Amino acid sequence: MKSLDHIFQPKVTKRHLRKKASKNIKEEERRLNNLGVPREIAERGLNTFRFTEMKKVERGVLTGWEKVRGNQKNDMRKYLIHYNRLETLTIQNTNLILPRSVKSHEDFTRYVLRENMFSDIFIELQQYKEKRSFPCILFPGNWASVSKDGKGIYHYFTNRPEGISVSLNIFDLIEITCSREGQTFAYHRRKLIDILGCSYPEQKWEEKQFNKIRTNLNSIKNAKENWETQYPSLFKLTQSYLDILLTLNSYSEKYVNSKQFSYKKETLFFISSRYLANNLNRDPVNVRRAINMFACLRIIEKVPPDVQGFPHKFLQSAIRIRGGVTNNKLVTFFIIPKITKKLLKDAEIKAKKLLKNKISNINKLNGRKVAEIFDDDFAKSIYYAKEMDIDKLALKSGVDLTKCKQANTFITKREVERMKLRQGTYGDDVIPF
């Protein structure tokens, strides 16, 4: 098992040590000035501090404290698992009442970082609540303390003698003790919310989105039993493409993160049809046609980036990652409504209308036909690519197209692998999703 020496006793160069000592000396000088210490006393204190710091450089000793990095947290977790240290920790649930001012994920994060919750969550820390330092509950041989930094954020400091102190905030500790490698910050936040037993408006919206996705997935998986008998026209049109609908719903889950990136109170997300086709081993053309059919039935909704209320940050993403096929081609954004009886009844009516007009499969569906069967506005809500004015959108979102490195959003995994095998590199233009 890999030791944690690289974290608590890292090998450093004299140049790095001198740089750190210089930084520490400047910070100490600033601290003394802010305290208003008389000049003569301050100079004596600073000389003593400088002498101590330079001695550390001579001995090659790195001291002080460092913020833990992502790869270090993974190493810590592996260490704790290997030596069964996680089994010695007891995490207790609480019933935290948040201030009314906490409405968003950002508010929650800011609040919990500035509250000392370590001993409320980790029972083993309760006996040390009033002590300045105590044996580390994670790493044998280390000493620990809990205090806050200059920004008011509380940290659990774990220090190895003759080594450095590493700081862990409450999210870091949750990530190390309650997570797996590769989990996102959003996952760690949701885990902490569960432990604290609290809620706030954006968290309730988030939970509602997850419930919607679970309901939708269950409905699609049971389509043959339920849709075939109750909504026969809908099932006839969609039965061969339900895997696409299932994947779209599953994929949207990773975008359930912030209400500010929503549209019509639903999670807004984007995905390349080529990427989707490659993962499902399908023809990209058929995937695009199937998506248009689901949009026509209003089981999914395509969201044009020029529509009123589209989040500006997502609008910037749409322009930055647009493909180089045409000047008006943008990656497609979607929202997915909850599949309810009313939605399915409305979809059945539309499906009957399509079948009545001899649209019996996705190959017969196109913008002209949809406009004839329904109306022009309805068709434009699905087939809108040629209506895009990229320059106008760029101006609206503040994106400088001359400095915008275009990404090929239609590249497939197989094409990426082939490019990797070629001589040289293929740059950064790989799809980011």
Side-chain angles (χ1 to χ4, degrees), residues 66-302:
E66 300 283 340
K67 289 182 180 179
V68 69
R69 297 190 297 274
N71 59 335
Q72 293 176 334
K73 284 184 276 188
N74 289 331
D75 290 340
M76 286 178 171
R77 186 189 306 108
K78 290 174 183 176
Y79 177 93
L80 294 173
I81 292 171
H82 181 79
Y83 290 105
N84 299 318
R85 294 292 297 174
L86 292 180
E87 297 175 8
T88 66
L89 300 178
T90 307
I91 295 174
Q92 67 174 0
N93 292 337
T94 67
N95 290 297
L96 177 67
I97 298 175
L98 294 169
R100 290 184 179 181
S101 58
V102 177
K103 300 182 184 298
S104 67
H105 294 325
E106 187 178 347
D107 295 336
F108 172 76
T109 301
R110 189 184 298 111
Y111 177 78
V112 296
L113 283 173
R114 287 164 175 79
E115 294 291 322
N116 186 359
M117 297 183 175
F118 294 105
S119 59
D120 295 331
I121 296 173
F122 295 92
I123 290 180
E124 287 73 23
L125 286 175
Q126 291 178 359
Q127 60 184 311
Y128 304 122
K129 197 169 183 179
E130 303 301 324
K131 295 187 177 181
R132 291 187 63 182
S133 65
F134 47 86
C136 180
I137 64 172
L138 298 174
F139 309 110
N142 281 20
W143 281 82
S145 62
V146 174
S147 60
K148 57 183 176 180
D149 62 18
K151 296 180 181 178
I153 296 173
Y154 278 90
H155 298 265
Y156 177 90
F157 292 93
T158 175
N159 174 65
R160 178 180 293 183
E162 297 300 318
I164 65 168
S165 181
V166 172
S167 74
L168 303 164
N169 63 42
I170 192 64
F171 289 104
D172 294 329
L173 267 184
I174 294 298
E175 180 179 350
I176 291 169
T177 59
C178 304
S179 181
R180 298 189 306 273
E181 187 171 352
Q183 296 285 15
T184 64
F185 177 79
Y187 174 87
H188 306 141
R189 184 192 65 238
R190 289 193 287 269
K191 186 68 180 176
L192 182 57
I193 289 170
D194 288 341
I195 292 170
L196 295 174
C198 60
S199 65
Y200 49 92
E202 191 168 30
Q203 182 270 335
K204 291 177 180 177
W205 169 86
E206 184 180 69
E207 189 58 36
K208 188 176 180 181
Q209 291 298 303
F210 284 127
N211 290 334
K212 175 197 73 175
I213 293 169
R214 284 192 287 268
T215 299
N216 287 3
L217 292 175
N218 185 57
S219 180
I220 298 164
K221 288 174 183 176
N222 295 299
K224 184 165 178 59
E225 290 78 16
N226 301 326
W227 296 13
E228 188 173 18
T229 53
Q230 298 180 51
Y231 316 103
S233 299
L234 171 63
F235 186 73
K236 183 177 181 179
L237 278 177
T238 62
Q239 60 178 319
S240 298
Y241 311 103
L242 290 175
D243 61 322
I244 297 172
L245 185 60
L246 196 70
T247 304
L248 283 170
N249 274 269
S250 297
Y251 189 84
S252 70
E253 189 170 15
K254 66 183 282 189
Y255 283 85
V256 180
N257 188 26
S258 175
K259 196 174 181 180
Q260 64 176 311
F261 300 129
S262 65
Y263 179 73
K264 293 183 178 179
K265 298 183 179 180
E266 301 288 358
T267 300
L268 187 67
F269 69 101
F270 57 89
I271 186 171
S272 160
S273 56
R274 276 289 183 96
Y275 176 82
L276 188 59
N278 189 60
N279 277 271
L280 295 173
N281 199 24
R282 279 183 170 274
D283 179 3
V285 174
N286 285 338
V287 168
R288 284 195 288 273
R289 287 172 177 170
I291 286 173
N292 288 334
M293 179 190 64
F294 286 124
C296 184
L297 297 170
R298 288 300 190 250
I299 297 176
I300 63 174
E301 186 175 337
K302 295 169 75 174

Side-chain angles (χ1 to χ4, degrees), residues 339-355:
I339 296 178
T340 60
K341 287 184 178 180
K342 184 180 184 309
L343 182 141
L344 292 172
K345 284 179 182 178
D346 291 343
E348 174 69 7
I349 292 169
K350 290 181 177 67
K352 283 180 179 178
K353 208 167 184 179
L354 290 171
L355 291 171

Side-chain angles (χ1 to χ4, degrees), residues 411-431:
I411 199 167
T412 67
K413 283 184 177 178
R414 293 189 189 93
E415 288 168 341
V416 169
E417 292 304 317
R418 283 199 298 269
M419 293 171 81
K420 285 181 179 179
L421 293 173
R422 294 175 193 165
Q423 189 175 2
T425 61
Y426 56 93
D428 300 321
D429 293 338
V430 182
I431 56 172

